[in-house]
Amino acid sequence: MPARLIDGEALAARIRAELATQIAAIKQRTGSPPKLASILVGDNPGAKVYTRSQARSCEDAGIAYQLVELPNETTAEALAARIRQLGADPSVHGILLQMPLPPAINARDMAELIPPQKDVEGITSANLGKLLFYEGAELIPCTAAAAYELIKFAGCTIKGAECVVVGHSPIVGKPVVCLITNDLGTCTCCHIGTRDLKAHTTKAEILVVAAGKAGLVRGEHIMPGATVIDVGINRAAVLDADGKPVLDEKGKKKMKTVGDVDFASAVGVAGAITPVPGGVGPVTVAMLLRNTVRAAKAQVG
Ligand code: NAD
């Protein structure tokens, strides 16, 4: 029997509906909606696309969105000053620093300038530390929070479950490990240094894959009946029945978005699986909105 699809769009819609009431309450109490400021340095096309979709998501949710665009030549000092200014502005409840930053600017130094109460991506040491200590962690990195919410939405009991997370980045893999461990799941973290990935993944009742490698996890890596959360977003060529790339009308390879899990082979083995697109992506956006609302609530009382 093919795996049940874990519908990220449905979960995101449910979260947005819950947020709508809270956003309306904030607006009624303070006269204005929660506000998210997004800082974009330079003209990275991918980041620009991302800011447009952020703006749309905020607008749909009734959250005010301010895009702060700075030129490519912006110095670390100028960016730091802008972050501090937004940090001190009481009308701004959330600050998001769009990546990548120009190579001359240290991204971690800049992220640490965001006041923790406005850190809606949950990437400051203060917020990551709260997650580790399990003390009132409210602003959790959005993608990690999305993976965790999808595990619960799929109906899994984390306590006592054998869980494997593939990927140990500070904003995805490691926070997922923390969230699972905080709920008393038994969690193994695999990464580029893992000698035998399959030996671990085939033991997982809950498998989260966040490696950024298309097709890294195939059906044979999965325990029958496991719940699989595919965080990866990769671009891959569309292939025809003979395995050759399909070309578009301009003779260029047709591309599609795929995850880190080879869906075709995984769907026959897993018990439940997130699709890509339509799984973690929409819930990540909902988590950004949720963090903005949480930040606003904490600031306006
Ligand atoms: P990253 O590059 O910072 O980390 C990748 C991790 O994968 C590392 O821990 C690395 O050790 C591990 N890894 C790489 N190759 C491996 C291999 N062969 N075997 C085992 N582990 C391996 O990436 P990230 O920022 O954590 O993102 C991971 C993926 O999630 C990317 O595809 C990214 O595009 C995607 N992502 C999706 C969303 C979303 O909303 N769905 C948001 C953020 C990131």
Side-chain angles (χ1 to χ4, degrees):
M1 203 171 64
R4 183 165 52 86
L5 284 191
I6 309 168
D7 185 350
E9 296 286 359
L11 175 56
R14 184 200 283 182
I15 294 164
R16 283 197 305 269
E18 286 163 11
L19 292 177
T21 322
Q22 299 172 38
I23 292 165
I26 291 172
K27 209 170 163 184
Q28 197 181 23
R29 203 164 58 247
T30 67
S32 48
K35 182 170 167 186
L36 172 65
S38 176
I39 306 173
L40 174 64
V41 186
D43 48 14
N44 181 287
K48 279 201 163 178
V49 171
Y50 194 44
T51 57
R52 278 199 290 276
S53 102
Q54 273 166 11
R56 240 185 347 262
S57 303
C58 284
E59 190 186 338
D60 291 349
I63 290 174
Y65 183 81
Q66 179 188 357
L67 178 62
V68 179
E69 284 188 274
L70 301 172
N72 218 8
E73 316 72 64
T74 303
T75 60
E77 292 71 30
L79 176 57
R82 197 71 177 98
I83 296 171
R84 288 200 183 93
Q85 190 188 21
L86 292 165
D89 180 345
S91 78
V92 171
H93 305 109
I95 301 173
L96 189 158
L97 196 49
Q98 216 59 245
M99 296 295 159
L101 292 176
I105 300 181
N106 182 307
R108 182 96 301 260
D109 288 350
M110 293 300 123
E112 294 295 353
L113 296 175
I114 300 172
Q117 70 275 17
K118 297 191 179 187
D119 166 29
V120 287
E121 288 188 297
I123 55 167
T124 56
S125 303
N127 284 322
L128 288 169
K130 278 186 183 168
L131 186 58
L132 202 63
F133 283 107
Y134 196 31
E135 279 174 12
E138 288 253 287
L139 302 180
I140 299 164
C142 302
T143 307
Y148 173 72
E149 292 298 336
L150 281 158
I151 293 170
K152 292 194 296 180
F153 183 62
C156 296
T157 303
I158 294 178
K159 186 174 178 183
E162 290 294 331
C163 307
V164 170
V165 177
V166 182
H168 76 314
S169 73
I171 58 160
V172 187
K174 282 182 190 165
V176 174
V177 171
C178 265
L179 288 162
I180 288 175
T181 313
N182 287 347
D183 275 5
L184 299 181
T186 303
C187 197
T188 300
C189 185
C190 297
H191 41 64
I192 196 71
T194 300
R195 276 198 295 266
D196 185 351
L197 185 64
K198 192 176 164 191
H200 296 285
T201 57
T202 46
K203 291 198 188 101
E205 294 163 66
I206 298 170
L207 176 60
V208 180
V209 191
K213 294 273 176 325
L216 176 69
V217 167
R218 301 179 50 79
E220 68 258 28
H221 291 85
I222 298 170
M223 184 171 83
T227 295
V228 179
I229 309 294
D230 187 357
V231 178
I233 300 178
N234 309 287
R235 298 293 286 163
V238 177
L239 303 178
D240 65 16
D242 300 326
K244 292 201 180 111
V246 176
L247 304 181
D248 66 15
E249 55 284 356
K250 288 183 187 156
K252 280 188 168 175
K253 280 184 191 169
K254 263 195 175 169
M255 303 299 280
K256 61 177 178 177
T257 300
V258 298
D260 290 346
V261 177
D262 174 54
F263 190 84
S265 62
V267 76
V269 184
I273 187 167
T274 55
V276 178
V280 175
V283 185
T284 298
V285 176
M287 292 296 104
L288 175 64
L289 302 175
R290 187 176 79 176
N291 280 352
T292 305
V293 172
R294 284 181 175 178
K297 275 165 78 176
Q299 287 163 63
V300 302

